[in-house]
Amino acid sequence: MSGLEPPLTEKGMEWYCDWLQRRLATLTAEHGEEVLHSCRGEIDFSHNGMSNQMVWMLLDVLAQCQVHASSFKLFGNRISQAGVLAICEFIRMNDRARPVAEFHLSHNEIDDDAALELMRTLHSQRPRYPPSRHVEGEVVRVPVWLRLNHNRIKNPDGTRGAAEREGITICTAADRNSC
């Protein structure tokens, strides 16, 4: 659903969410609840001008249905603090599905406080976050990829420092292999 032309409106998102909820209910009735927990969906609504309300609508449906999404690509929208709070609520409420591995939120309107709240939410969901993977027969923890560049974060060093003082581990991915 990336880069729709014309862009998705709030009414369009409402229609889409109604359709999605019906479709997911049918899928669950036919194949059982586990089918939505075991998928590895990529949610891509990038470059759609999504408002905070549209994020709330979409994530509410996904959380109600306990859909597992491995990746959220919501870059290039109009997401600010209220949209980030919707993402935080999704992380907390969608506890039967596997953890999300990637949040691509660049090119939005996210500020320092919203970024810190998102990191706090991920940190509060231990041991679910960070997610784990099987690598060469071992279960290892892997970082959540949280992309926040080109937002309204005025003091990235201060935000990162505040998170680290709260015990949140951050890797800036300057060297992706060191994370």
Side-chain angles (χ1 to χ4, degrees):
M1 302 281 298
S2 173
L4 294 176
E5 207 44 62
L8 200 57
T9 63
E10 285 192 14
K11 188 67 177 164
M13 179 58 81
E14 187 177 315
W15 179 87
Y16 175 78
C17 288
D18 288 344
W19 171 85
L20 181 62
Q21 195 159 29
R22 287 191 310 275
R23 183 65 191 117
L24 293 175
T26 301
L27 187 65
T28 301
E30 291 173 2
H31 302 285
E33 283 185 8
E34 193 56 34
V35 71
L36 297 178
H37 304 170
S38 61
C39 69
R40 293 185 185 269
E42 176 180 279
I43 309 301
D44 187 352
F45 279 84
S46 58
H47 298 292
N48 274 308
M50 283 182 71
S51 68
N52 294 323
Q53 182 60 32
M54 293 164 75
V55 174
W56 275 105
M57 284 188 262
L58 176 63
L59 296 183
D60 184 49
V61 170
L62 296 177
Q64 283 179 32
C65 297
Q66 292 285 319
V67 172
H68 169 67
S70 63
S71 170
F72 277 95
K73 294 184 178 181
L74 300 175
F75 55 93
N77 286 295
R78 297 177 290 130
I79 300 168
S80 63
Q81 187 167 19
V84 170
L85 292 177
I87 294 167
C88 293
E89 186 67 12
F90 175 83
I91 292 166
R92 286 189 292 269
M93 298 302 295
N94 204 20
D95 57 355
R96 290 180 54 208
R98 293 186 195 125
V100 179
E102 172 185 335
F103 292 95
H104 189 163
L105 300 168
S106 68
H107 299 85
N108 277 290
E109 300 169 8
I110 298 168
D111 64 12
D112 303 59
D113 292 337
L116 185 56
E117 184 59 30
L118 180 53
M119 289 184 274
R120 285 176 177 146
T121 299
L122 290 166
H123 185 69
S124 74
Q125 295 302 302
R126 289 179 170 249
R128 216 168 131 239
Y129 283 92
S132 56
R133 284 194 189 137
H134 292 280
V135 177
E136 297 177 8
E138 276 186 61
V139 176
V140 296
R141 293 282 182 188
V142 294
V144 175
W145 190 59
L146 181 58
R147 189 164 177 185
L148 293 168
N149 58 305
H150 298 285
N151 272 286
R152 294 188 176 168
I153 299 171
K154 293 181 179 164
N155 185 356
D157 291 334
T159 302
R160 184 173 51 246
E164 288 171 339
R165 284 189 296 280
E166 294 181 25
I168 299 170
T169 304
I170 296 176
C171 175
T172 60
D175 176 5
R176 192 175 186 120
N177 294 320
S178 70
C179 293

